Structures are given as structure tokens and as C-alpha cells.
Amino acid sequence: MTAHQQELDFYQGDLLEKICASDTHRKAFKSVKANKGAPGIDGKSIEEFEQNLEEEIFKLRQEVLNWKYKPCPVKRVEIPKPNGKGVRLLGIPIIKDRVLHMAIKEVLEEILDPTFSPNSYGFRPGKNQRQAVEAAQKIVKSGKEYVVDIDLSKFFDRINHDRLIHRLGLYVHDKRVLRLIGMILRGGVIDKDGLKRSKEGSVQGSPLSPLLSNLVLDELDKELEKRGLEFCRFADDCNIFVRSPRAGERVMARIRDFIEKKLKLKVNEEKSQVAKADQVKFLGMTIVNGLIAISKAAYTKAMERVDSAREP
């Protein structure tokens, strides 16, 4: 048992109580308010929730600790993708649920984040997009100029609940917390066709989803590290760097197999590729001759915004 694991065992004696502490909920609400966002299916805004904040926090704490809490289905909305091709499905939880999700995230992040790969840069304290692109640049300049660019198809919608809870249980030993997160994952969504129960996936729009997604994909990170591969991952955007196209095709085949058979996810064949670094877009940037340049698509989009702003 590592020192970190021993520390976790001591820390987790009353994990659910830590999540439900008034101070934790106040801090969580502050973060929810800073993130702004529209009301969920109950129509209650952040401002309305704040008017009776202490009462709302007290009720939420009692509901969770007494197992009377029931997550509300999230409101499903469609957001057009930046490239104009299709839509991205987002979910809007009610404010009360958003506060609980954020409280869980704040507490579990202290447990989970130290176990994550240093090659993971998305939605982590002290990590950002610039660091990810600069790390990719360093690898390319070392001679690994070919990229295995893996795109996961509908990643958030396809997260396997059973595998997620099992992996979470390796680090979170309070089974009450695992049960609570299971309830949240199965909370369901409401769209134009009515209520749909969730059998898989984690809602994009929940403060908890980025942390859970990193936990799911940390298993991929560990596999890549075990194979001695150099990579950079930002959320579900993962680039693996190799020295030749042949090596890239071999890595692509093996990692695709791991993702689909082990993680129960799906690789988007149309968007995944093996290509020279200067032909691959990573977080809106491209590495050309060892230098970081804005990608053609990102540049075009930026210029369209400039032209739009100039219009009277």
C-alpha cells in the first residue's frame, strides 16, 4: 500500500459527510454561480437559489444523508458544433443538483487527481491547454513527428456506468458515495421527446462529468505509459507521437482495440488518423517545423468573428 493510499484510507472515514458539509456546499455554490448557466427543468435560476441559500443547503444535506435525495433529470439542449456539422448534446441540471455535483467533484478531486497521468491536461488543477500544446511541441521536436490522432465518438454519451463505478471504487472506499454517484449517472434526461433514463454516459454540463471522464480515460493513459508511448491528452482529445507512419498504424490498431474492447468506447474512424504533426490539429493548434501555429480551421473561424464584429 502506497503512502497516498494509506492517507486516503484515513481521509475517507466520513467521506459522504465531507461532501455534505455546509462549508463544502457553500464553496460549491460559489463555483456554480461563477460558471453561470441557465435554469434546469424546475426553472429555478442561480439568483433565486441564492435568495434562500442556507435553507437550500440545509435541505440538500438532510436529503442526501437520510437517503431521501433523488436527482432530477437534466434538461437536454442541442448546441451547434463550431464546424457547423451536427450538434453537441448538453445537459442542464437543476441548481440544487449542480451544487451537489460540484461538492462531490471538489472532494473527490483531492483523492483522484494525484493518481492521474502527468500527460493529462484537461480539467485539472494547475493544468491547461497551453501546457498540453507545449508538451506536444517538445515531443515533436525530439524527433517523433508523426501523430496517432484518436477521436472518440460521442465519448461522454458512451461512458460505461459499471466500469466507471468499479474504477471509482479502487480509490473511493465509502460505498455510500459510490451509490450516490450511481444515482446521479442514472438520473435521466428530458428532451423534446420526454423523459429518457440513462443506461450509459455522463452528462456534459454537469460539474462532475469532467472529473469522471478523466478517471475513465486515465485507464487509457496508464496503458499508453505501460507501452512506453509518448502522448498528450486533453479530455477526450488524445495525440500519441511516433517516429514513422508504419509505427503509427501499428499503434493505432492496438490502441483502437484496447479502447473498444477494454474501455467499451468507440473510435471515430472518419476523424482518427495517422499523419505528420503539421497536418494534425490539437486544441486548435498545429506544430509546423517545431513551431506552434494556429490551425487553418481555427484561423478561419477567428477571422470570421473579426469580420462579423466589423459589420455595422
Side-chain angles (χ1 to χ4, degrees):
M1 180 179 290
T2 66
H4 182 63
Q5 288 173 321
Q6 290 177 335
E7 181 182 348
L8 293 187
D9 284 338
F10 174 78
Y11 176 80
Q12 292 191 40
D14 52 356
L15 196 59
L16 185 63
E17 284 73 19
K18 287 183 172 68
I19 289 170
C20 291
S22 297
D23 286 346
T24 305
H25 281 183
R26 290 190 192 98
K27 181 181 177 183
F29 174 76
K30 187 175 180 180
S31 297
V32 168
K33 183 179 179 180
N35 291 339
K36 302 181 181 179
I41 62 171
D42 64 352
K44 182 177 288 188
S45 67
I46 292 174
E47 292 74 22
E48 289 172 319
F49 189 91
E50 188 174 24
Q51 288 176 2
N52 299 296
L53 182 60
E54 292 304 318
E55 181 182 346
E56 294 281 7
I57 285 175
F58 177 80
K59 285 168 55 179
L60 178 58
R61 170 186 170 85
Q62 294 304 309
E63 286 177 7
V64 174
L65 292 178
N66 294 319
W67 292 103
K68 294 181 179 180
Y69 169 76
K70 291 184 179 180
C72 283
V74 301
K75 182 164 68 175
R76 171 69 47 90
V77 295
E78 297 181 352
I79 306 296
K81 291 185 177 180
N83 59 12
K85 298 178 180 178
V87 296
R88 178 174 286 108
L89 299 178
L90 297 181
I92 305 176
I94 65 172
I95 306 303
K96 180 179 77 170
D97 288 352
R98 236 178 286 177
V99 170
L100 179 60
H101 297 187
M102 184 66 78
I104 296 172
K105 178 255 184 188
E106 294 286 351
V107 172
L108 293 195
E109 193 168 63
E110 296 182 20
I111 297 171
L112 297 176
D113 193 76
T115 72
F116 290 160
S117 168
N119 302 299
S120 166
Y121 295 89
F123 309 115
R124 298 185 59 191
K127 299 269 193 174
N128 56 47
Q129 291 184 334
R130 179 175 178 175
Q131 292 172 347
V133 175
E134 289 178 345
Q137 177 193 31
K138 184 176 180 181
I139 297 172
V140 171
K141 290 176 73 173
S142 75
K144 295 185 176 180
E145 298 181 335
Y146 288 87
V147 181
V148 181
D149 182 16
I150 296 177
D151 185 272
L152 298 178
S153 177
K154 299 180 180 179
F155 165 65
F156 281 92
D157 297 333
R158 287 195 164 111
I159 290 175
N160 183 284
H161 290 174
D162 291 339
R163 293 201 84 261
L164 171 56
I165 294 298
H166 171 75
R167 188 155 182 83
L168 193 58
L170 300 178
Y171 305 97
V172 176
H173 306 148
D174 189 332
K175 288 183 169 52
R176 299 173 300 167
V177 176
L178 299 179
R179 178 184 170 191
L180 178 60
I181 292 174
M183 290 169 56
I184 291 170
L185 290 171
R186 296 189 299 271
V189 299
I190 287 183
D191 60 15
K192 58 187 178 184
D193 298 319
L195 175 64
K196 296 179 181 177
R197 290 299 173 190
S198 306
K199 296 181 180 179
E200 61 181 0
S202 182
V203 173
Q204 280 187 275
S206 163
L208 183 57
S209 286
L211 179 64
L212 296 182
S213 70
N214 269 334
L215 178 65
V216 170
L217 291 177
D218 185 63
E219 194 168 359
L220 171 61
D221 297 344
K222 297 294 193 289
E223 180 68 17
L224 296 176
E225 290 170 349
K226 188 172 73 174
R227 293 172 182 261
L229 296 167
E230 291 194 85
F231 67 97
C232 294
R233 182 176 65 78
F234 193 98
D236 57 335
D237 194 351
C238 182
N239 281 358
I240 308 167
F241 300 86
V242 295
R243 296 185 183 277
S244 70
R246 185 177 178 181
E249 295 295 346
R250 185 170 60 248
V251 169
M252 175 69 85
R254 292 175 178 174
I255 298 306
R256 181 198 297 116
D257 195 58
F258 176 83
I259 289 171
E260 296 190 342
K261 292 184 178 179
K262 186 73 182 290
L263 301 187
K264 310 299 183 185
L265 298 170
K266 180 70 175 175
V267 173
N268 187 325
E269 299 292 346
E270 292 183 2
K271 294 184 179 180
S272 298
Q273 62 176 331
V274 176
K276 201 84 177 287
D278 59 9
Q279 299 298 312
V280 176
K281 181 179 70 173
F282 182 48
L283 302 176
M285 298 293 169
T286 300
I287 300 169
V288 182
N289 297 324
L291 301 175
I292 297 173
I294 186 169
S295 70
K296 183 177 179 180
Y299 177 80
T300 300
K301 182 180 176 183
M303 292 309 297
E304 287 175 352
R305 288 180 176 176
V306 171
D307 292 340
S308 177
R310 286 175 177 168
E311 293 178 359

